[in-house]
Amino acid sequence: MSETFHAMWRSLRPIGRSDASGGYRRYAWTAADADCRLWFRMQAEARRLDVETDRNGNQWAWLGDPTAGDAVVTGSHLDSVPDGGAFDGPLGVVSAFAALDELRARGAVFERPLAIVNFGDEEGARFGLACVGSRLTAGRLTKEQAYELRDADGISLPQAMEAAGYDPSGIGPDPERLARIGAFVELHVEQGRALDLSGDSVGLASAIWPHGRWRYDFAGEANHAGTTRLVDRRDPMLTYAETVLAARREAELAGAVATFGKIAVEPNGVNAIPSLVRGWLDARAADQGALDKVVTGIEAEARAYAERHGIDLTVVRESFTPVVDFSHTLRDELSRLLGEKTGSTGKVPVLGTGAGHDAGILSESIPTAMLFVRNPTGVSHSPAEFAAEDDCVSGVLALADVLEGLACR
Ligand code: HGY
Ligand code: MN
Ligand code: MN
Ligand code: MN
């Protein structure tokens, strides 16, 4: 099995990789995305799977009749955050193809349709909203909302899709497709160190924390950096900086995490006091109460600073995903299957995550579950993200066991 895994990894690895950082820049509807999509199609066709791209740009590789219903689906995404790691997303897609190879080698007989999926634009790196492909399919993002999405150059999502050769006119909910899926299992590299600390290769997801993105617009007064006295300034960068420090304080108080990881400055000149500083807050917490507390606390402090500095502050919630409790039925079924196969009496570890996933978006529509593979660095959304080969193999075998139990005689 590991030979095919290696071959896939080798062929996928160079796509969208930055020589400068060693990270990945695979953004939705760009050339790198097109190369990933071609890679996916080639892997699928090499396995005699029927490949289709749905109305929202998600790719599906089918074994069996897609219209039969009660399909078992596995897969993940191939796009990345700026300078992302090699495993976040691709590990789930490569492992899905490798698990199918493994099941064929075992002589497994499928009694349910199987599909391997590549969800489009999971990271939201280009248009600012995560899980666009799965949100559209699940009806959690309308066509009108999607048409409003713009990238940093002002290109809209439909324009980008068209430029990539896809027709955006049909984007939107796909309930018929979801009605034909009985279970979705996503394998993903762990974005933390729980498995490293517990000494396990593979674990199951218990929940995805509630999380969201807020845009903070600090408007001040542009002026000359050299001739404007300090007392005469209305510098939004100061208020932004104090808000970032407040975010850390509020997160510690609330037991949450809060990150200002993206900023846009106008006019963005070294010798010009900014007129506008736009900062994006990513806030997450294990429960809704803690999330509400941190978000409210940060905004209250930001408004107090803005008041003091004569800055106009606008806060816009750009996206929000409520807590996802993976369905106990499917998760318990996976736990039983994994326990049976490995014969281990020890329970498969179950862990929560602060990272969002397509499985979380779809969990309101279909039974979903997630398998995590150990990441000894715990680092993700960075070139340092890592999973050891034998853990990747354990992940593929676990996924094969689960798919065999769910879809085969
Ligand atoms: O942001 C997230 O949690 C996910 O990686 N898209
Ligand atoms: Mn990610
Ligand atoms: Mn991911
Ligand atoms: Mn000048």
Side-chain angles (χ1 to χ4, degrees), residues 321-338:
T321 306
V323 64
V324 173
D325 282 321
F326 285 105
S327 68
H328 271 266
T329 43
L330 187 57
R331 193 186 81 205
D332 293 348
E333 170 74 354
L334 264 60
S335 188
R336 185 183 62 76
L337 290 169
L338 291 173

Side-chain angles (χ1 to χ4, degrees), residues 81 88 122-123 130-131 191 211 213 282 284 354-357 381:
V81 295
D88 175 355
E122 190 274 349
E123 294 292 3
C131 300
Q191 294 161 305
H211 58 283
R213 299 181 183 189
D282 178 313
R284 314 192 190 200
H357 299 282
H381 286 187

Side-chain angles (χ1 to χ4, degrees), residues 15-40:
I15 299 177
R17 189 165 184 271
S18 151
D19 294 335
S21 69
Y24 286 85
R25 298 174 180 174
R26 296 167 176 166
Y27 312 143
W29 310 113
T30 61
D33 186 57
D35 290 344
C36 286
R37 289 170 180 276
L38 176 62
W39 175 90
F40 181 90

Side-chain angles (χ1 to χ4, degrees), residues 225 227-235 238 273:
T227 59
T228 312
R229 298 186 310 162
L230 296 184
V231 288
D232 296 332
R233 294 181 181 211
R234 286 198 307 117
D235 181 353
L238 277 183
I273 300 168

